[in-house]
Amino acid sequence: MCHVAPVTNRGSDEADMDRTRVRQEELMCKRWAQLWRTIILSSLKKTMFPYSRYIRSLNLEDLEELFQDAKFKGRTNDMFFSNELADYKVETKGSGLYGKTRLDPAETLIRLGEVITKESPMLEELSGKISTDALLRWAPRLPRLRHLSLWSGGALVGAGASLFKHCHDFRSLNFWSWAHDEADQKFADFLNEIRPQSLESLEIFSNSGIGAESFLALSCHRDSLRELKLDSISADVMRSLNMLQGCTNLTTISLTGGSQSSVDLKNSHNDVFLEVVAWLRKCHRLQSLTLRNMRAGPDLATPILLEDGIKLTNLELGGYAMADSRDFHQALANQVTLQELLLAGESDHETGDGMAILVESLSQLTNLTDLRLRDISDYFNDEVIQRLARSLPKLEVWWTSGWAITDAIWDEVAKLKSLRRLDFTALTQFTANGIRDFILNLGPGNHNFVLAVMMADVDHDLSEAEQTMIRETMAERVSGRFDFQLHRDPDVSEFEAQNPCSGGAGLEADQKVIAAHKCYAMTATTALTAQNTKDVLDIYSTPSDFVIKQIDACIVDIGVDVVKIGAQLLPDAAVFHIRNLLLPLTTILTPNIPEAKLLLHNAGMDAPEITSIHDIIAIARKLQALGPSYVLVKGGHLPLTSDLKIPTTTADRTNVVDVLHDGKEAIIFSTDFSSSKNTHGTGCSLASSNLAYKVPITQAVENAIRYVEAGIITNSSNLGHGNGPINHFHSLDIASIPPCKTSLRRIVLPR
């Protein structure tokens, strides 16, 4: 096992091309490093031209990404910190197997930032992990500073007066979080210290202690504040939103509830609810409104939609129930100025009047260019898709779920002459010929078109040859891209994490893995399957109330240290709940690549087309941002080449790569690809093996990967006629004689 597989000389054209790509990536990293090195050297007055004096934007996060790039190691690192920059390199003791020293990015960034800011008088934007002391030192040097983007709001403590004195143009602020008991008071102090009526934009990305006092202090900027974005709002903060009622010049408002903020303002704090509604209705300049994960979201939005003085161009509402939102859906039709609309919520199996109201309102929003629907459109059919295509001629981006969508939609969709992206997280029944004919009807306005079919019916699979034909047609016609994913893997149980009777995967595999690691497993079975190594014959879903009884029985008696939840693929509504309710509470998420893409699509995020390991890392990074502490993207579905690229032939598949990401760095685990058919249940086994090691996550993941690889290698039994199980007990020496004296006595009686 190694972090990066070595490049080998295979003596083929493909190998030459792979080596060329590696050299190109290394060259790009060197150029990236050389650019930063030149900027820093110019700050030290070691270059002929004073580049640093013309810098407008300094993004230290980009420099941190350079330090963490795998290609930065070795010669590029040595080159970067050579000669004049040698003294600015800060190293720390590593925690790896050999305890080697490694670069400390945070401390190194502060040292280099100190140098650059001394010679950057025209700097207007500054971002990165900046400490309080650093900001206090740097502010007097930056008279033109307009925007700050910080990792922690704690860096602002005591900095307000300095910004007031030295940075007269300061207008915009965002920070990731500020988890401190006195954060609310300290931030209020900062807002009162900076120049009155100067702040135009405020964005807080993650859970913070910002609340009532800070909201009141924002009244000092009520005339200037145009953009307010608050993410991961707690229940207490939700109850303080009425303190913002002085800020009525806003053009953009974005409010997102946190995973624990289940408060319903309308029913539990109606006085606050009414004051928030009154505040929003006074925001006559409002153009963009976003309300996510707020139970009162539709009730808050409806009066704004009906307010004649408000003309929205952008609206996003997420985490709501369709059944309780008919008034909201009906009010949508009043905002004919809308250009971008995103709705994500529970469909509640609504197929009657509720869906008809939504479709009618959507059909009247003829200025829409971007329409993204999640879950609430689960029961859209061909007729609905066709009607929306006829009614919304300006669409450029369209995401929708749906049920049994067929080739019947293509004629109407092809008339959307500006459409650039079409995403289906719907159970589709398209044919290769139908998709090809649609592509051939695309025109110049559809250049770079992307078609993503992410939940195709398994009975309407497209062969590799058909997918290749579609991709080639797309590339030739509009220089576009085609992504395809089945609703589930036809060779794997749809309920792999439940209870398959053949014993290779699901709960059966979980229990074997946990027992093999000398731990004790308990189960709550959500479904029973009749299956073998070849096929799933039938499924019986356990009633939900009985599942709850199983869980309660285990908790109240024995107790639980670790919880593992899993099912291969679920309906879109269930994925939505997993993403919003469970991921923020999750220690480690272990999706395979198709599951990872599905989660990102459910979240309304782009999943990059995978061409190399860098795309898998990008997927892991995006998933980690959804809430779990760690994400392990399992690469068993997509073996790579020796230099971690997509193979062009079967013979090129040499490495299986798993990527672990904690939001700060990616760790790549690479093992040799095996052609063994004994791989059933590897995903379940890998996830369960992680739970059994009482060591740091990184080490637990490495141990788990070794365990599963050994299980594949050592299983020569070849059980069944399909994909057989791994050997779960390869490291156990089970003796026929117990390790202790027993009380068994044998008595033989005569006839």
Side-chain angles (χ1 to χ4, degrees), residues 26 91 119 125 264 278 347 354 526 548 701 728 745:
E26 290 175 344
E91 294 184 317
E119 297 295 330
E125 298 181 1
D264 185 345
S347 63
T526 60
I548 294 172
V701 169
H728 295 98
R745 292 178 292 276

Side-chain angles (χ1 to χ4, degrees), residues 31 33 44 87 107-108 127 202 224 254 308 327 346 374 398 664 681 684 729:
R31 289 175 176 172
L44 294 171
D87 293 337
E107 289 300 319
T108 303
S127 60
L202 172 64
S224 61
S254 177
D308 289 336
D327 290 343
E346 300 178 42
R374 286 283 178 254
W398 188 2
K664 299 177 183 178
C684 302
F729 300 108

Side-chain angles (χ1 to χ4, degrees), residues 364-397:
Q364 297 182 47
L365 303 178
T366 56
N367 286 306
L368 280 178
T369 60
D370 191 325
L371 176 61
R372 308 186 189 212
L373 304 175
R374 286 283 178 254
D375 303 319
I376 63 163
S377 54
D378 278 355
Y379 292 95
F380 279 16
N381 55 25
D382 285 351
E383 182 181 350
V384 172
I385 299 296
Q386 289 170 318
R387 179 180 178 183
L388 293 178
R390 288 192 297 268
S391 303
L392 308 175
K394 297 181 181 180
L395 278 183
E396 298 176 8
V397 177

